[in-house]
Amino acid sequence: MVWKITDETFETITEEVILSIDGISLRAPQGQSLLMAARHHGFDIPTLCHHSDLPSEGNCRLCLVEIGEHPRTRLVNSCTYPVEAGLLVQTASEKVLQGRRMVLELLLARCPKAKIVQDLAAQMGIYESRFKTDDPEELCILCGLCVRACREVVGVSAISMAHRTPGKLVATPFLEAAEACIGCGSCAFICPTGVIPYTEKDGVRTIWGRDFPLQPCNVCGNFIAPTAQLEHWAKITGDPVEHYFVCKDCR
Ligand code: SF4
């Protein structure tokens, strides 16, 4: 299930309900994700695929929590499970910690060199995985943040998830230079493992197999952003593109 309510929009949900997190009764807006409700009240739940500006998809499964009453409890992704009145939630039960260790071992097997995965695993005392590593150089944890940022925030869908597991990967259409890409770099900035190659040299940004000339500010001459990105903003806002050819310091 994709829970479409982001952290920003939950404010529109006004009805608050009472639920219990780790034995503490508290109020939270009905429909808000358990992750946001728990974090709002100071509970620490790790996640690698959550971003406050994007709808949650529960891809990394690190944020799992246990819901229900003993013995009928189950693990759910807290980022996609909505707050309900009377819900009993545990964020650090033995069942949760076991599940989270398993997820971290799987992530570590997939991306043994990903620093963020190593750090999270080490916090739980895990330094190696019992599962097989297919590619020791792999750094993509398939969290989907880059794809969602490109689609939901930038609005161009230049990249997507291609193929099925085990060959699943983030890719441009037909694995060719991304035609729809505007060179904004949102995917590279949001990527938790820094795996998306991105360079800037001599006024040119290179990403996803394409070179994007950077637009100099019409006043100070400093580079602002790729011209294609500024043209994209102008198209969305309806402002004259020249408006974006002056950097914010010179406006
Ligand atoms: S490239 Fe980065 S942001 Fe995209 S799915 Fe892989 S790890 Fe996540």
Side-chain angles (χ1 to χ4, degrees):
M1 181 182 79
V2 177
W3 190 252
K4 284 290 181 188
I5 293 175
T6 68
D7 305 345
E8 307 309 316
T9 57
F10 89 82
E11 285 161 17
T12 59
I13 303 165
T14 50
E15 191 186 344
E16 287 204 329
V17 295
I18 295 176
L19 73 163
S20 162
I21 301 183
D22 292 349
I24 300 170
S25 286
L26 25 94
R27 289 180 178 277
Q30 184 157 16
Q32 183 183 31
S33 72
L34 287 181
L35 176 70
M36 292 318 298
R39 284 188 167 176
H40 178 75
H41 288 281
F43 295 91
D44 184 25
I45 298 178
T47 165
L48 281 172
C49 71
H50 173 79
H51 190 283
S52 57
D53 292 334
L54 295 170
S56 294
E57 286 188 350
N59 291 332
C60 78
R61 296 194 53 81
L62 258 186
C63 70
L64 44 83
V65 294
E66 186 174 358
I67 60 166
E69 200 161 356
H70 184 77
R72 294 219 309 260
T73 63
R74 64 190 170 109
L75 295 175
V76 297
N77 293 327
S78 62
C79 69
T80 54
Y81 201 94
V83 163
E84 295 167 2
L87 194 65
L88 301 180
V89 183
Q90 293 182 71
T91 67
S93 63
E94 193 44 45
K95 196 168 178 175
V96 168
L97 297 180
Q98 262 182 20
R100 201 167 284 155
R101 280 190 206 103
M102 172 72 82
V103 170
L104 281 165
E105 276 198 70
L106 289 166
L107 285 170
L108 205 52
R110 178 178 170 81
C111 300
K113 291 188 179 164
K115 175 88 171 54
I116 193 163
V117 176
Q118 290 174 346
D119 289 349
L120 283 166
Q123 283 171 22
M124 297 202 72
I126 299 165
Y127 298 93
E128 56 187 48
S129 174
R130 76 192 106 143
F131 301 110
K132 182 172 154 277
T133 294
D134 290 328
D135 177 1
E137 302 305 317
E138 178 61 78
L139 284 172
C140 177
I141 56 170
L142 298 174
C143 67
L145 276 174
C146 54
V147 173
R148 279 179 285 154
C150 186
R151 185 183 62 220
E152 310 281 345
V153 178
V154 186
V156 299
S157 294
I159 51 175
S160 60
M161 287 288 178
H163 308 310
R164 288 172 186 268
T165 309
K168 196 171 177 182
L169 77 166
V170 176
T172 56
F174 308 110
L175 303 181
E176 292 172 355
E179 278 306 308
C181 183
I182 57 170
C184 69
S186 300
C187 53
F189 298 134
I190 205 168
C191 175
T193 62
V195 64
I196 298 176
Y198 164 102
T199 59
E200 263 185 31
K201 195 176 169 208
D202 300 331
V204 175
R205 180 179 292 178
T206 303
I207 188 167
W208 291 114
R210 282 185 59 196
D211 291 337
F212 295 90
L214 296 169
Q215 179 66 40
C217 170
N218 280 346
V219 179
C220 68
N222 289 334
F223 291 125
I224 306 171
T227 308
Q229 181 182 349
L230 301 177
E231 288 169 348
H232 178 72
W233 285 352
K235 201 166 142 193
I236 287 175
T237 59
D239 292 334
V241 72
E242 295 73 27
H243 172 78
Y244 295 101
F245 288 175
V246 177
C247 76
K248 65 178 184 340
D249 293 339
C250 295
R251 279 186 199 154

